[in-house]
Every structure is written in structure tokens, then in C-alpha cells.
Amino acid sequence: MHRIVIRPRIQIPVLVVIFAVWTLLGVTYFTSGDVLAERDWFGIVLGCLLVTSGMAGIWRTLRLGVVIGEEGVRVCGFDSRDQVTPWSAIQSVDCVQIDVRGGLPLYAPVLRLGDDAMPLSALGSYSRQDAERKVAQLRSLKASVARS
């Protein structure tokens, strides 16, 4: 089985632009030279904080998505560590409405792990057919791993 990476198409560019502006805001503290020349420590610390947090935000944003591979399903979130769910722990994959955004239902694959359920919101879609297609793909990958 080869690795499949699915990334959010809209969320990544929007967050990259926001964090790039955040980084440039930090860089502007140093462009005039007054902050460094006058040794304004508050401005220096604030500029460095903005630049480093903006760069870290861009790096975390570019890692967003779901990676499906031989070991299982890895969810790479923005605000948390990567969560790996092995194929052996997944009992079933269902298509469920997980949220309502802007008055429209959001459908996504949900991994059933015994008593727990783990929605894959990164694979969510407003189209139920698109979500069902992703669920079918996950089911076939789970079946192919079980056969090998």
C-alpha cells in the first residue's frame, strides 16, 4: 500500500496568508532600525516573538491533513500532536453529519474505535456523496490491509 495524503484545500492557503502577515508584522519592527539602535528591548522581544510564532504557524499549517498508510490513519492537526490510529483498532468507517456550518450540514468519515468515535473533520465535505466516496476509499484500504 502506498501512502495517501489528503490536505484541506481552502484552510491551508488562508492560514498561510494570515501567518505570513503576522510574520511580516514582526519584521516591520526591525526595518526602521530605531528598535535596534535605541535598544528597545520590548520592541525587540515583541518583533522576535511575532516572527517566530508566524513561522511556526506557517510550518504547522503546511502539515495539516490526514495521512493514510500501512500503519493506519494519521491525523495531523494544527493545535495538537499527530494522532495515529492503527488499522487493527478501527472496527468500522461510517459517514456521519459531524457539524452544521453556515446552515449547511458537514459530512465526514468517522472511525469507530470500540466505544469511541473519531471524526476525520479534515476530510469533511458539504456534499454527502463526496464524504461517502472518501468513506468507501477508507473501507477499501482497511480491507486491503486486512488481507495482507
Side-chain angles (χ1 to χ4, degrees):
M1 165 190 272
H2 59 279
R3 213 173 102 162
I4 300 170
V5 180
I6 303 171
R7 301 204 183 277
R9 291 178 283 182
I10 297 172
Q11 187 179 14
I12 289 177
V14 169
L15 286 174
V16 165
V17 167
I18 289 171
F19 283 113
V21 168
W22 187 259
T23 303
L24 290 175
L25 182 65
V27 170
T28 60
Y29 274 98
F30 303 114
T31 56
S32 68
D34 292 340
V35 172
L36 294 174
E38 295 175 5
R39 292 197 169 101
D40 178 14
W41 293 108
F42 177 76
I44 292 171
V45 170
L46 184 62
C48 289
L49 184 67
L50 289 173
V51 169
T52 55
S53 64
M55 294 303 289
I58 290 172
W59 178 74
R60 291 293 294 178
T61 298
L62 294 175
R63 295 188 68 245
L64 284 176
V66 176
V67 179
I68 303 166
E70 192 73 35
E71 73 279 352
V73 179
R74 176 187 304 266
V75 178
C76 303
F78 180 77
D79 58 350
S80 63
R81 299 184 83 168
D82 294 356
Q83 184 178 6
V84 179
T85 306
W87 289 113
S88 60
I90 300 171
Q91 292 180 349
S92 67
V93 182
D94 300 321
C95 182
V96 177
Q97 178 181 339
I98 61 168
D99 199 4
V100 176
R101 294 182 185 167
L104 297 172
L106 182 68
Y107 301 99
V110 174
L111 304 178
R112 302 286 179 191
L113 313 168
D115 295 337
D116 296 331
M118 186 174 94
L120 299 176
S121 57
L123 300 180
S125 175
Y126 293 109
S127 165
R128 185 167 182 91
Q129 290 81 14
D130 185 42
E132 288 285 353
R133 183 182 53 78
K134 292 174 185 171
V135 166
Q137 184 181 17
L138 283 169
R139 285 179 183 156
S140 68
L141 290 170
K142 180 177 174 12
S144 70
V145 168
R147 279 184 257 133
S148 36

